[in-house]
Amino acid sequence: MSFSRYIKCHEFSFDNEDLIQQLRDDGWNELLKNVISFCETWELDFPDMNAQYIVGRSRNKKEDVTVEHHYRVDIFFATIDIQLQELKSKFNENVIELLTLTTALDPKEFFKLFNIDKICILVNKFYLEDFSKQEKECLLYELKHYELDVCKHPDLRKISILFDLCRSLVESGKSVMYPLVDRLIRLILTLQVSTASSERAFLL
């Protein structure tokens, strides 16, 4: 594997925009150190980073562009900038708020994030067409009973994935007891397989 291929194939395992930005600001030296170590371990040729960069096989040189500048700016920075641009376009403020509010129904860590106020905000802002005015009023009371029942149920408290919670609510018959909560959970789960519903919600 060549030096350039290693950089292009390097995976940046960061899960949010801030960490990717931090990688762009401070990650080059660490990456370069790892690449040098990799090349030394496998006895690969390592280019002179201060040499003038030559384009492909044409032997044409880029004026005032060093090898180090090419890999750092044209590849490393350029790759991260594309990722940041994609994140900003796909995860705008509406998407971030939607995903944040949906965590209020997440069962992991014994329903630690359960929050009735956030759930009501979620419904009122992103699911206006999925619940009538009367249902929204009933949902508040349903959530209060749900919190005392489902969130403290010894078996359901062991669940850590929303999909498993949805299935368990059906199996235990509690989806009938809490139909509005069950409906909301199903709507949230569709976000994982289709962006159409979320995009529709953003237009409301």
Side-chain angles (χ1 to χ4, degrees), residues 8-189:
K8 291 179 180 179
C9 294
H10 189 74
E11 294 183 356
F12 306 114
S13 55
F14 293 87
D15 29 17
N16 63 47
E17 184 178 335
D18 291 337
L19 287 176
I20 294 179
Q21 182 63 54
Q22 182 180 350
L23 174 65
R24 188 190 190 283
D25 296 338
D26 307 318
W28 168 252
N29 289 334
E30 183 65 22
L31 174 60
L32 185 60
K33 178 181 176 181
N34 291 335
V35 173
I36 293 174
S37 176
F38 178 88
C39 291
E40 290 176 346
T41 299
W42 297 98
E43 299 182 351
L44 299 175
D45 293 334
F46 187 81
D48 179 0
M49 302 300 281
N50 295 317
Q52 192 170 5
Y53 177 68
I54 300 175
V55 182
R57 298 180 180 179
S58 64
R59 313 307 294 178
N60 293 329
K61 296 182 179 181
K62 284 188 175 181
E63 294 184 2
D64 301 324
V65 174
T66 64
V67 173
E68 189 272 342
H69 180 277
H70 169 70
Y71 286 118
R72 178 171 55 86
V73 177
D74 298 338
I75 296 181
F76 183 74
F77 285 171
T79 300
I80 295 179
D81 287 344
I82 291 174
Q83 292 179 343
L84 288 172
Q85 184 177 357
E86 287 297 316
L87 281 175
K88 289 177 180 178
S89 64
K90 293 181 182 296
F91 295 94
N92 54 43
E93 292 182 1
N94 279 332
V95 178
I96 295 298
E97 183 180 10
L98 172 61
L99 295 178
T100 300
L101 291 173
T102 59
T103 62
L105 279 164
D106 197 324
K108 67 182 179 181
E109 296 185 31
F110 311 111
F111 293 88
K112 177 181 178 181
L113 299 177
F114 185 81
N115 186 298
I116 293 177
D117 291 337
K118 289 184 178 180
I119 295 172
C120 290
I121 293 174
L122 172 67
V123 171
N124 287 320
K125 187 166 185 178
F126 294 101
Y127 294 106
L128 291 175
E129 292 186 350
D130 298 289
F131 296 88
S132 67
K133 181 178 180 181
Q134 182 179 2
E135 286 177 331
K136 292 175 186 175
E137 295 175 353
C138 292
L139 177 63
L140 177 60
Y141 297 100
E142 192 173 295
L143 286 168
K144 292 180 179 179
H145 290 287
Y146 178 92
E147 183 177 20
L148 295 174
D149 182 12
V150 174
C151 295
K152 299 184 183 302
H153 194 283
D155 292 329
L156 297 178
R157 279 170 61 85
K158 300 176 182 178
I159 298 173
S160 61
I161 302 175
L162 194 60
F163 175 80
D164 290 340
L165 173 62
C166 183
R167 182 172 56 186
S168 295
L169 289 176
V170 174
E171 294 174 348
S172 64
K174 294 189 181 296
S175 60
V176 178
M177 298 174 60
Y178 308 104
L180 299 177
V181 179
D182 178 70
R183 185 194 306 172
L184 180 57
I185 290 175
R186 292 172 183 271
L187 287 169
I188 293 173
L189 287 173

Side-chain angles (χ1 to χ4, degrees), residues 98 127 190-203:
L98 172 61
Y127 294 106
T190 62
L191 293 175
Q192 300 180 12
V193 296
S194 172
T195 60
S197 58
S198 59
E199 289 172 354
R200 173 179 59 80
F202 301 151
L203 297 176

